[in-house]
Amino acid sequence: MIIEKKKAFNSFSAKKGLRSTRQRDIILDFFLSTHQHISVEELYLKIKAIHPGIGNATVYRTLKLFVEAGLAREVLLHDGQTRYEHIMAGEHHDHLVCTGCNSIIEFENETIEQLQNEIAARHGFMIQSHKMEIYGLCASCRS
Amino acid sequence: MIIEKKKAFNSFSAKKGLRSTRQRDIILDFFLSTHQHISVEELYLKIKAIHPGIGNATVYRTLKLFVEAGLAREVLLHDGQTRYEHIMAGEHHDHLVCTGCNSIIEFENETIEQLQNEIAARHGFMIQSHKMEIYGLCASCRS
DNA sequence: TTATGTGTGAAAATGAATTTCAAAAGCAAG
DNA sequence: CTTGCTTTTGAAATTCATTTTCACACATAA
């Protein structure tokens, strides 16, 4: 899966006429080795610890390329930093988020997907992605 | 509905020991008279046009109070500005977000609501609220 | 290898949001 | 109403994430 993502970025680079550079390789490696939503600063510090030469502007620039290439997605939390998460093939971003213990249950529902398509079509809207989060209390936090 | 919100803010103020000031009244009036998701800067400019004395720090401060009071909610889009929207009783937060022009189309769909309830029940989850955002290109950005 | 244009790092610039602080205003008690 | 105490405010300064600038380094194709 890491190999596929690297290939995906390479073909994106080729298509866009971007050059392959040491920095982008490194940043991609580090990004792919993270889990959860990492902020640019966090990623930059991790990288800098091992590759001190790399500047934060490059990390910012490169993460935007990953978004363009379809490898990553911006996630906005409420902490004033932009975070990035991986885009997995066939993934849906439907979550039950427990406000008690912050646990997350993922789910998928074909009917909702279909309804989304209908709604979008009705508004002349072309869907790129979606996010659905249901907030509440999970079974163990209710008791 | 505007009256109720004003009352709600008054009782919040009383409970918190906040003072009632001309500025907070004005900002609440302007906020309540807006639709969609307004950014602090936009609201500030609207207010300043009529009440030049009011500073933007006050607008920032006051909108945070509205959130605390349960009248408003922060909405993060991808344009680097924090926006605020009204919290309506029984409201749903379903949006088509155009990644081209950042415009937002609101919609409601009873079937999706029902499906959400079913999904939640299946996981022993008690729903408090939800958020659904569909990202893509609106009709005019597609052409 | 060389020519050309892209990519990079460091530093400066930007811009939203927050903080500071002295002055103004609300509020309760007399 | 006046006094005294506290909160609130506006303007300016500050902070901090992100973006831009620019000279230099590097990738790529001929």
Side-chain angles (χ1 to χ4, degrees):
Chain A
M1 146 221 161
I2 288 187
I3 305 286
E4 284 94 69
K5 292 230 172 182
K6 290 195 182 185
K7 280 188 189 165
F9 186 63
N10 282 342
S11 68
F12 167 80
S13 296
K15 205 173 295 175
K16 260 214 114 187
L18 301 180
R19 293 180 177 169
S20 126
T21 69
R22 191 179 61 90
Q23 287 87 337
R24 288 183 186 152
D25 286 349
I26 292 171
I27 296 169
L28 183 54
D29 275 339
F30 273 79
F31 177 65
L32 292 178
S33 77
T34 65
H35 302 287
Q36 291 288 349
H37 318 86
I38 194 164
S39 74
V40 188
E41 185 68 11
E42 286 163 2
L43 187 60
Y44 166 61
L45 291 176
K46 279 196 181 203
I47 293 173
K48 200 171 84 163
I50 296 179
H51 303 277
I54 291 185
N56 63 349
T58 302
V59 180
Y60 275 97
R61 287 187 278 232
T62 305
L63 282 172
K64 283 187 182 292
L65 289 179
F66 295 167
V67 172
E68 254 194 276
L71 301 180
R73 174 190 307 117
E74 283 192 355
V75 181
L76 300 173
L77 305 183
H78 289 260
D79 65 348
Q81 284 188 249
T82 299
R83 292 166 180 279
Y84 290 85
E85 67 177 9
H86 301 271
I87 292 181
M88 312 291 194
E91 175 203 25
H92 305 292
H93 327 99
D94 297 339
H95 297 137
L96 293 163
V97 182
C98 177
T99 57
C101 62
N102 286 313
S103 66
I104 291 179
I105 302 168
E106 302 198 346
F107 68 90
E108 235 177 273
N109 186 295
E110 188 53 45
T111 313
I112 289 182
E113 306 280 311
Q114 254 175 266
L115 287 168
Q116 288 179 337
N117 290 333
E118 281 172 30
I119 290 160
R122 199 177 303 149
H123 290 89
F125 200 90
M126 188 183 70
I127 295 185
Q128 292 168 338
S129 69
H130 75 265
K131 180 163 69 172
M132 178 156 111
E133 279 155 12
I134 301 178
Y135 299 95
L137 290 176
C138 71
S140 43
C141 285
R142 290 172 68 177
S143 43
Chain B
M1 145 220 162
I2 287 186
I3 306 286
E4 284 96 67
K5 294 230 171 185
K6 291 195 183 185
K7 280 188 190 166
F9 186 63
N10 283 343
S11 66
F12 166 81
S13 296
K15 204 172 298 176
K16 260 216 113 187
L18 301 180
R19 290 178 177 170
S20 123
T21 69
R22 192 180 59 89
Q23 287 87 336
R24 298 216 260 240
D25 286 349
I26 292 172
I27 295 169
L28 183 53
D29 274 340
F30 273 79
F31 176 64
L32 292 178
S33 77
T34 64
H35 302 287
Q36 291 287 351
H37 316 84
I38 194 163
S39 74
V40 187
E41 185 68 12
E42 285 164 2
L43 186 61
Y44 166 61
L45 290 176
K46 278 197 182 202
I47 293 173
K48 200 172 84 164
I50 296 176
H51 305 277
I54 291 185
N56 63 350
T58 303
V59 180
Y60 275 98
R61 288 187 278 234
T62 305
L63 282 172
K64 283 186 182 292
L65 289 178
F66 294 167
V67 172
E68 254 195 276
L71 299 179
R73 173 190 307 118
E74 282 192 357
V75 181
L76 299 174
L77 304 184
H78 289 261
D79 65 348
Q81 282 188 249
T82 300
R83 293 166 179 279
Y84 290 85
E85 67 176 10
H86 302 270
I87 293 183
M88 313 287 198
E91 174 205 24
H92 310 293
H93 330 97
D94 298 338
H95 297 138
L96 292 163
V97 182
C98 178
T99 57
C101 62
N102 284 313
S103 67
I104 290 178
I105 303 168
E106 302 196 347
F107 68 90
E108 232 176 274
N109 186 293
E110 188 52 45
T111 313
I112 289 181
E113 306 282 311
Q114 256 176 264
L115 287 168
Q116 288 178 338
N117 289 334
E118 283 171 30
I119 290 161
R122 199 177 305 151
H123 290 89
F125 200 89
M126 189 184 70
I127 294 185
Q128 292 168 337
S129 69
H130 75 264
K131 180 162 70 170
M132 177 155 111
E133 279 156 12
I134 300 177
Y135 299 95
L137 291 176
C138 72
S140 42
C141 284
R142 289 173 68 177
S143 43

